[in-house]
Amino acid sequence: MTDTQVGIIGAGPAGLLLSYLLHLEGIDAVVLETRSREYVEQRVRAGVCEQPTVELLREIGVGARLEEEGMPHHGLSLRFDGEDHRIALTELTGKSITVYGQQEIVKDLIAAHVGKGLPVEFEVSGVALHDLDTERPRVTYTDAGGNARELTCAAIAGCDGFHGVSRPSIPGDALRTYDHQYPYAWLGVLARTPPSHEELIYTRHERGFALHSMRSPEITRLYLQVDPGEPIENWPDDRIWTELRHRLETSSADFVLRDGPVLEKSITPMRSFVVEPMRYGRLFLAGDAAHIVPPTGAKGMNLAVADVRNLARALAPLVRRNDSGLAESYSDTCLRRVWRAEHFSWFMTSMLHRDPAGDEFAERLHLSQLRYVASSTAAATSLAENYVGLPFDW
């Protein structure tokens, strides 16, 4: 049996960032992860960092590589009716976003843990949570060497994603669940080719939504709206590039889509999901374990960062002095931001996607909204303010 102050389930950006924030507060934590270090460092996920996320990583001393390799963006493009409309993020808000892959943040945080000798156990199995409604909850698991282990904590942080063990460890009647399924999915492509545009392009087209993004000066990330049940086998590389050209083209000849070798492709259904509260006893949920947003608003990883910033501040007085004030308000504090992000992500998703049911009334409404955002400084500012990230203390 091992004692620690906080047990953290999951070594994604949420779990690792929480562990490091607690370390800076002088609080001991152990991170448990079922996957290998190599897997979590290579797992490609979101790449848009809001300004508050970037500032936090700089502030705690893990932003050096982000500063060197991250790609700051001061605007984005909304493309519809064959025309391109730039939303000047920095001009409207004084802030920007930075494109820097989630897996790169994970690498930086793991390196920081290794440099400080902070414990992260990879390739564990059989993780189970116990005694959550007591002041000494426990985690049992089997370590990478096959040894049965038990971790006794003052608190447990469930940072293990939507499919992890943390949320299912809470009695079902203790949670309220909100789950909204969208009638479309994204076909995501990672291609070895320089980006075709210096900024992100969000496109609404009669054939469906498309997104042009990037992960580095050499790697482009692209998405197409498809049906949720669409087999990936129906999308050979040539068809993907042809469809991207159809949807991303404009009435001018300024934009030329660069193609290249497809490194990865997958189809991901889209959903909005929230559980309330984000706490049960001494178990605190953070990130995808508590909420999912459709990726259109680029909010998922940034919400997780905001969660664990709040959680680190709540756990410090709880484990030091048994002061539960901030711990008791943790869920309400996080959910205010979560629901704002859920609404913005729903708004962006609805506005930009083609309704597969062919509801022409809805189509007209969404096009009207796009035209308003593209022509109104007030509407564009609202979109920009939400996109670059509201202050953590909002």
Side-chain angles (χ1 to χ4, degrees), residues 72-122:
H73 285 224
H74 301 285
L76 60 83
S77 291
L78 296 179
R79 191 167 287 185
F80 60 95
D81 290 341
E83 301 289 338
D84 196 75
H85 306 268
R86 184 173 186 266
I87 304 298
L89 299 174
T90 304
E91 182 179 325
L92 292 167
T93 69
K95 300 177 182 179
S96 63
I97 59 161
T98 300
V99 173
Y100 188 67
Q102 175 175 307
Q103 73 276 14
E104 303 305 323
I105 292 175
V106 167
K107 290 175 188 175
D108 296 340
L109 287 167
I110 289 176
H113 277 70
V114 171
K116 301 288 186 179
L118 305 178
V120 182
E121 294 193 41
F122 293 100

Side-chain angles (χ1 to χ4, degrees), residues 30-81:
V30 174
V31 182
L32 304 177
E33 170 59 50
T34 59
R35 302 285 192 168
S36 68
R37 174 177 174 177
E38 292 72 23
Y39 179 90
V40 299
E41 288 187 335
Q42 298 302 319
R43 179 172 47 190
V44 176
R45 290 290 188 270
V48 174
C49 298
E50 296 176 350
Q51 181 154 322
T53 295
V54 172
E55 291 172 351
L56 176 62
L57 295 174
R58 288 173 180 157
E59 179 186 325
I60 65 173
V62 295
R65 202 160 64 90
L66 182 152
E67 288 281 351
E68 182 178 341
E69 300 178 17
M71 303 168 68
H73 285 224
H74 301 285
L76 60 83
S77 291
L78 296 179
R79 191 167 287 185
F80 60 95
D81 290 341

Side-chain angles (χ1 to χ4, degrees), residues 13 26 77 164 180 231 235 269 276 349:
S77 291
H180 176 72
W235 288 92
E276 295 183 357
T349 301

